[in-house]
Amino acid sequence: AVERDRLVYNAIGFLAGWLSATPLSRTLQDVLWVVPASQSVHIIALAVVFSAALMINLRLLGLGLGAGGRSVSQLVDTLVPWMWRGLGALLFTGAIQTIAEPLRQFVAPLFWAKMLMIGVVVLATAVFARAVRSNARRWDAAATRPAAARRFAVASTLLWLAIIVCGRFIGYTWAFYA
């Protein structure tokens, strides 16, 4: 197990070193405003995605007071497209940050945990949105809403919170692994 971990760490270090030496990475590293600007846009996009997810999840839990009395299907139709747009911005700004500072990202276990959780919550959200759109009536009425709706709402909210915490702590922990 130790030998395997060392091989993985060496491969990650090699990949990070190669990426940081590319002309694109060098350019992003040399332009001082690029990383702070991409981090700022990243945080705004995350706020959009998390707010949309939270509004939907609170409605699923029967706590959606801020949704203006809108049904689950109405919220999904309105907010899920905003989530996809926000995720696009997150992907773009995250790629900029990763290309500019690959070692910082790649060596941190929290980065990989964050990527895994993003994959899970994005897939779950896509499946959820499709299910709501295929049978809106069932999802809109609390009495006929699938039991899994509450589990999805709790899991989605917890995953997004964990993603935020992991993302925040990458900057504070990566040096322990470098």
Side-chain angles (χ1 to χ4, degrees):
V2 173
E3 184 62 29
R4 178 185 47 106
D5 291 347
R6 186 172 301 144
L7 287 172
V8 169
Y9 183 77
N10 287 339
I12 288 171
F14 175 79
L15 179 62
W18 170 82
L19 186 56
S20 68
T22 63
L24 177 58
S25 182
R26 299 307 258 166
T27 300
L28 294 176
Q29 293 167 31
D30 291 342
V31 180
L32 298 179
W33 59 266
V34 169
V35 171
S38 72
Q39 288 173 337
S40 298
V41 173
H42 200 76
I43 291 168
I44 292 166
L46 180 59
V48 169
V49 172
F50 180 68
S51 297
L54 189 61
M55 287 178 64
I56 293 168
N57 294 339
L58 289 174
R59 173 63 67 207
L60 289 171
L61 294 170
L63 304 170
L65 303 175
R70 298 177 62 181
S71 68
V72 171
S73 64
Q74 289 171 326
L75 286 175
V76 166
D77 286 344
T78 303
L79 298 176
V80 169
W82 280 97
M83 290 178 72
W84 298 144
R85 290 181 198 113
L87 284 165
L90 287 170
L91 177 64
F92 179 72
T93 56
I96 289 173
Q97 293 169 49
T98 301
I99 293 167
E101 300 174 318
L103 183 64
R104 177 181 177 171
Q105 307 299 331
F106 290 164
V107 300
L110 292 173
F111 171 79
W112 299 106
K114 175 183 163 184
M115 294 299 107
L116 177 64
M117 288 186 287
I118 289 170
V120 169
V121 77
V122 165
L123 180 61
T125 300
V127 169
F128 160 74
R130 177 179 270 183
V132 170
R133 288 185 179 118
S134 71
N135 195 349
R137 238 189 227 142
R138 180 175 183 215
W139 285 85
D140 288 343
T144 60
R145 192 171 298 142
R150 294 178 69 80
R151 289 190 299 273
F152 167 80
V154 170
S156 170
T157 302
L158 291 175
L159 278 168
W160 281 116
L161 288 171
I163 289 164
I164 291 167
V165 169
C166 285
R168 205 50 229 129
F169 276 85
I170 290 169
Y172 298 113
T173 62
W174 75 272
F176 295 124
Y177 303 100

